[in-house]
Amino acid sequence: MKETRPKSTELATTIARKGFDTLAGLQVGSRYQPNPEVADICRQAVNCKKVIVCATIEPSTAISSNHYDRQFLHQIREQLKRNTAGYADKVYVTQNRDEKAWKKWSSHKDPSSR
């Protein structure tokens, strides 16, 4: 099966919506969650000083090249900055294989979920 890369605009829009929906869910949870512990976690998250959107993009193995991947990630980062301008203070876009000092999370391709 031929693997194709999604359009960067579509992917950036999807990620931005997910970020917005997460914030909306936290807001609702902070007010209406019947479990006091969960409601408290939601309130703490809603009261944060900074919102950072982090996305790890899995490169398309069929068409992957370092230059093309960097260009694609740059396009997503720029579009994501525009799409999240109303709620995010910072945007990070990386690949699974990136080993950056500031990257505090890890990710991997899970064959069982593909």
Side-chain angles (χ1 to χ4, degrees):
M1 188 159 93
K2 186 177 180 183
E3 192 176 334
T4 58
R5 188 184 297 269
K7 291 183 179 179
S8 58
T9 54
E10 293 170 3
L11 189 54
T13 299
T14 298
I15 295 167
R17 283 185 183 152
K18 284 178 174 259
F20 184 85
D21 290 347
T22 298
L23 292 172
L26 289 168
Q27 183 67 38
V28 170
S30 71
R31 291 178 166 219
Y32 302 109
Q33 174 53 246
N35 181 328
E37 282 184 45
V38 174
D40 188 48
I41 290 168
C42 291
R43 270 191 291 281
Q44 288 176 29
V46 168
N47 291 329
C48 69
K49 304 286 185 233
K50 217 180 227 188
V51 174
I52 300 173
V53 174
C54 303
T56 300
I57 308 299
E58 200 171 281
S60 171
T61 55
I63 56 175
S64 181
S65 75
N66 283 338
H67 173 72
Y68 190 64
D69 285 344
R70 281 195 305 269
Q71 183 181 10
F72 185 68
L73 293 178
H74 176 74
Q75 290 170 348
I76 291 174
R77 186 179 306 110
E78 293 307 308
Q79 290 164 354
L80 200 50
K81 283 180 185 177
R82 286 192 294 272
N83 291 352
T84 62
Y87 70 87
D89 297 293
K90 191 138 183 102
V91 171
Y92 290 114
V93 178
T94 68
Q95 295 181 48
N96 294 352
R97 62 180 172 250
D98 282 349
E99 297 296 329
K100 307 278 187 194
W102 52 261
K103 188 175 174 186
K104 305 294 184 204
W105 68 95
S106 64
S107 57
H108 66 281
K109 189 173 187 175
D110 183 2
S112 67
S113 65
R114 305 289 168 200

